[in-house]
Amino acid sequence: MSMMSTEAQELISLEGERKTQRNLTHSRIRWVMLGLLMLFGLVGGRLVQLGYANTDTDFSGEERDLITATRPAILDRNGLEMALDIRVPSLYAEPRRIIDVEEAVEKLTGVLPELDPEWLRKRLTGDQGFVWVARELTPLQKEKIFRLGIPGLDFRTESKRYYPASNEASHLLGTVNRDNQGISGFEMHLDNEDVALLQDLGLARDRTLEPVRMSVDLRVQHALTDELADSLVRYQATAAAGVIMNVKTGEVVAMASLPDFNPNEPATALEPYEGRKGARINRITAGTFELGSIFKTITLAAAIDSGVVKLTDSFDARFPVRFGRFSINDFHGKHTILTVPEIYKYSSNIGTIKIMQAFGAENYRSFLTRLGFDDPLTVELPETTRSNIPKKFSEVGAATASFGAGLATTPMHMVAALGALVNGGHYVPPTLYPRTEAEARALSRPVVSEATSAKTRYLLRLNALEGSGSRANKIAKGYRMGGKTGTAEKVIDGRYSKEKNLAIFASAFPLDAPQYAMVIMVDEAVAENERSGRTAGWNAGEMSGRVVQRIAPMLGILPDFDTNIDLALVPMELR
């Protein structure tokens, strides 16, 4: 062995180094392959995880952004909350993780009996990653479901709109859908402004938006709604509505229409009322009505402002006004020659027609346009409609329109017009936002002179002291209100009904320093008792008096029984 050559030893050594090198290389390759396998495994696992992950596009086609969107709180003019967002739990399921569908159905319907078992069974069966089961639950319901311990169920927190005053301002506020989007009323107006844009941009999620303040006074709103509800019982009326507006600013401080609905339960807006579908509309802005004799205020103001007719003028009201084979008479005819104030006080159709005829039918029609009756309502509600007034009056049409028949308008148009006639003669568009007098003046337009406005205030007060508004004035004594009644026969099957009427009272207070105008309607009222009637003075009039008696102190108006105040309203030519 010792005889092995040096060359042989070198060959053996080289072969050993090569073998060691190959082993090292193989080892490195195995480690690299193992690393790659681990890497691919991690990536593959993540891909599988992502593949099974819920993308939240599977819940009834709705978008997560909209579901979690918030809305600004709505406050009344004094800062009281009228609408706000609250956080509520909603239940969803991952059907692919439900182990025992029958057990889940049985347990869930035990907590949520309103769920249909068959619907729920289908809902929980399948391979979906997300389905809604029940939304807007109470905390107690959430706790009970949580204790069931059913795998595949979980909760998501959503924003829910809450209206603390419930029905009281429903037609003003409107409501929202389950995705917190406005679908009616002021809520829908906000979406049309900028709330919907903020939600679309994702800027309305999980953050507090600046509250929006309305012109409404929630205290006054409560008093008005309460009196309207009382009228449904007291006069067995089918509906009632009212609106109160600041005549200097155009701010609507209260507006209600009954029957109403609960905005916390939006579906109630569509429910029939006493078997009548569509009864829960907003009658103040979305309904048009023949408002009857309250239009005599418009006719007389128009004629007086033209200078053609003076308060000292007289008109022959002894005989009906004839148009061919038709004749128009007075409801309570005096059959004598009447002065202009007497025509107003006695609500003479004959005298009003003759005043309109002296003014001119075309001039009268133009005055209605000047007073805004042809304009669309600009108030911040989507539920509005236009008045229905013939573009051109026939001879008979002008005659009937002078006392409020044959033309239909919204109560909101009327309260804005009345406001212009008593505030010094400036038409101010109504609004649901707070507005200063300076801002209102910039938006206003003159429609009658200050002198005409003063004479209109006198006529309104005269009617409250001596005419059909006296019942209202007795109740609101001391607050210097004045107004005009209107009792319009309703059109039933194309004919005027002698049995059913719409009673209206249009008023303003305090007339020595006019601040508020109001229109109250009572639909199909019956006499309260054997001694009362069913014309407007007995219901809409008395109700207006009760409203003023309640709200005037809230609005900072003090009673004053000094008779010199009324004397000061009498124009110089009548003293």
Side-chain angles (χ1 to χ4, degrees):
M1 296 296 292
S2 61
M3 297 301 293
M4 184 180 293
S5 67
T6 303
E7 184 177 356
Q9 290 177 346
E10 289 177 351
L11 284 174
I12 291 172
S13 176
L14 181 59
E15 184 62 24
E17 289 178 3
R18 285 175 179 171
K19 188 178 290 185
T20 301
Q21 189 65 35
R22 280 199 304 271
N23 291 337
L24 184 60
T25 301
H26 288 163
S27 177
R28 286 175 175 170
I29 290 173
R30 282 196 297 271
W31 280 109
V32 169
M33 290 182 66
L34 181 61
L36 288 173
L37 284 173
M38 292 178 64
L39 178 62
F40 283 126
L42 288 173
V43 172
R46 180 58 179 160
L47 288 174
V48 170
Q49 183 185 25
L50 291 174
Y52 278 93
N54 171 35
T55 60
D56 288 7
T57 58
D58 192 20
F59 39 99
S60 304
E62 296 168 288
E63 299 289 340
R64 177 194 288 238
D65 288 350
L66 297 179
I67 292 171
T68 57
T70 57
R71 302 180 63 79
I74 299 176
L75 312 178
D76 86 334
R77 63 184 304 110
N78 301 311
L80 296 177
E81 290 178 329
M82 300 179 70
L84 64 155
D85 277 359
I86 58 174
R87 308 295 279 178
V88 294
S90 288
L91 176 67
Y92 71 92
E94 298 176 73
R96 63 166 63 99
R97 294 184 54 217
I98 301 289
I99 298 172
D100 189 334
V101 173
E102 290 303 322
E103 180 190 29
V105 170
E106 183 180 351
K107 289 183 175 179
L108 274 177
T109 51
V111 179
L112 304 172
E114 67 275 16
L115 294 181
D116 178 64
E118 184 59 30
W119 174 87
L120 183 57
R121 189 174 292 107
K122 293 180 180 177
R123 199 73 171 162
L124 300 183
T125 303
D127 195 35
Q128 293 177 283
F130 186 106
V131 294
W132 283 121
V133 176
R135 299 175 72 175
E136 299 177 356
L137 301 173
T138 65
L140 180 60
Q141 288 173 320
K142 178 185 176 182
E143 178 65 21
K144 288 182 177 179
I145 295 170
F146 184 77
R147 290 176 180 274
L148 296 177
I150 303 173
L153 296 181
D154 207 343
F155 299 90
R156 184 187 296 275
T157 300
E158 296 188 272
S159 293
K160 175 179 171 57
R161 204 59 162 165
Y162 177 62
Y163 303 91
S166 190
N167 291 38
E168 281 197 352
S170 56
H171 286 296
L172 274 168
L173 292 169
T175 189
V176 300
N177 61 18
R178 279 189 167 180
D179 294 326
N180 233 13
Q181 296 170 304
I183 56 175
S184 64
F186 194 72
E187 294 278 25
M188 188 171 179
H189 162 75
L190 290 180
D191 277 32
N192 293 335
E193 290 293 297
D194 50 17
V195 170
L197 177 61
L198 290 175
Q199 290 178 340
D200 289 344
L201 295 176
L203 299 177
R205 281 182 294 160
D206 298 325
R207 61 170 27 187
T208 301
L209 300 178
E210 189 70 22
V212 176
R213 195 174 291 252
M214 294 183 75
S215 59
V216 175
D217 186 320
L218 207 49
R219 303 167 304 168
V220 178
Q221 180 73 19
H222 169 75
L224 174 63
T225 307
D226 189 50
E227 290 297 336
L228 291 173
D230 177 71
S231 74
L232 297 187
V233 178
R234 186 190 294 260
Y235 310 119
Q236 301 174 48
T238 61
V243 56
I244 304 167
M245 189 190 84
N246 186 316
V247 300
K248 294 181 179 177
T249 63
E251 296 169 292
V252 175
V253 294
M255 183 183 75
S257 179
L258 271 60
D260 52 18
F261 61 95
N262 183 355
N264 292 305
E265 301 175 28
T268 58
L270 304 177
E271 290 180 351
Y273 177 75
E274 295 184 345
R276 291 178 289 120
K277 294 181 179 178
R280 301 177 192 274
I281 67 166
N282 181 354
R283 288 167 171 75
I284 298 299
T285 61
T288 60
F289 306 91
E290 285 193 7
L291 296 179
S293 290
I294 64 173
F295 250 91
K296 288 169 181 164
T297 311
I298 308 295
T299 306
L300 267 61
I304 292 169
D305 194 64
S306 71
V308 173
V309 174
K310 297 180 176 57
L311 285 178
T312 52
D313 290 342
S314 297
F315 292 84
D316 189 350
R318 291 177 297 173
F319 309 103
V321 179
R322 297 196 64 83
F323 298 94
R325 59 191 178 91
F326 299 103
S327 65
I328 298 175
N329 210 339
D330 285 341
F331 188 67
H332 293 297
K334 298 298 178 184
H335 310 296
T336 187
I337 295 173
L338 300 174
T339 65
V340 170
E342 287 173 334
I343 288 171
Y344 191 73
K345 183 174 68 176
Y346 298 133
S347 197
S348 169
N349 292 337
I350 299 171
T352 304
I353 291 172
K354 293 190 173 182
I355 288 174
M356 184 280 299
Q357 290 174 331
F359 178 44
E362 290 186 7
N363 293 332
Y364 177 55
R365 182 65 185 84
S366 298
F367 186 78
L368 296 182
T369 300
R370 195 201 312 176
L371 214 50
F373 284 105
D374 292 317
D375 297 336
L377 287 175
T378 56
V379 72
E380 297 86 1
L381 293 177
E383 298 84 11
T384 61
T385 188
R386 301 183 73 113
S387 296
N388 184 13
I389 302 175
K391 292 184 178 178
K392 188 175 182 180
F393 284 142
S394 64
E395 187 180 11
V396 179
T400 58
S402 70
F403 57 85
L407 75 174
T409 186
T410 72
M412 185 65 85
H413 277 104
M414 177 55 73
V415 78
L418 183 64
L421 295 182
V422 301
N423 73 0
H426 297 273
Y427 181 89
V428 181
T431 181
L432 294 178
Y433 283 113
R435 181 193 283 160
T436 66
E437 288 188 32
E439 292 169 339
R441 183 55 66 98
L443 296 170
S444 70
R445 65 175 189 272
V447 289
V448 295
S449 68
E450 170 57 46
T452 299
S453 180
K455 291 170 184 175
T456 303
R457 295 197 294 270
Y458 159 70
L459 290 173
L460 288 164
R461 184 60 180 155
L462 174 68
N463 196 53
L465 293 171
E466 302 176 9
S468 60
S470 59
R471 294 184 179 282
N473 184 58
K474 286 178 182 176
I475 296 173
K477 195 172 183 179
Y479 290 109
R480 290 95 69 202
M481 76 176 297
K484 183 73 186 76
T485 53
T487 305
E489 295 176 347
K490 294 184 69 173
V491 177
I492 308 293
D493 297 329
R495 300 176 65 88
Y496 283 104
S497 170
K498 297 295 182 184
E499 306 299 325
K500 298 180 178 179
N501 62 39
L502 180 69
I504 312 104
F505 194 70
S507 60
F509 66 97
L511 283 176
D512 55 311
Q515 190 71 32
Y516 296 97
M518 178 168 64
V519 172
I520 296 289
M521 300 195 313
V522 183
D523 198 1
E524 298 185 15
V526 300
E528 183 179 2
N529 53 55
E530 294 180 353
R531 300 185 304 278
S532 62
R534 61 187 185 93
T535 51
W538 292 95
N539 40 68
E542 289 194 0
M543 182 182 156
S544 297
R546 289 193 291 271
V547 171
V548 171
Q549 197 271 338
R550 289 179 65 172
I551 69 173
M554 300 175 188
L555 297 170
I557 299 170
L558 300 177
D560 193 330
F561 300 93
D562 186 352
T563 55
N564 289 323
I565 296 175
D566 290 329
L567 293 176
L569 291 173
V570 179
M572 291 300 296
E573 60 266 39
L574 296 179
R575 294 180 186 179

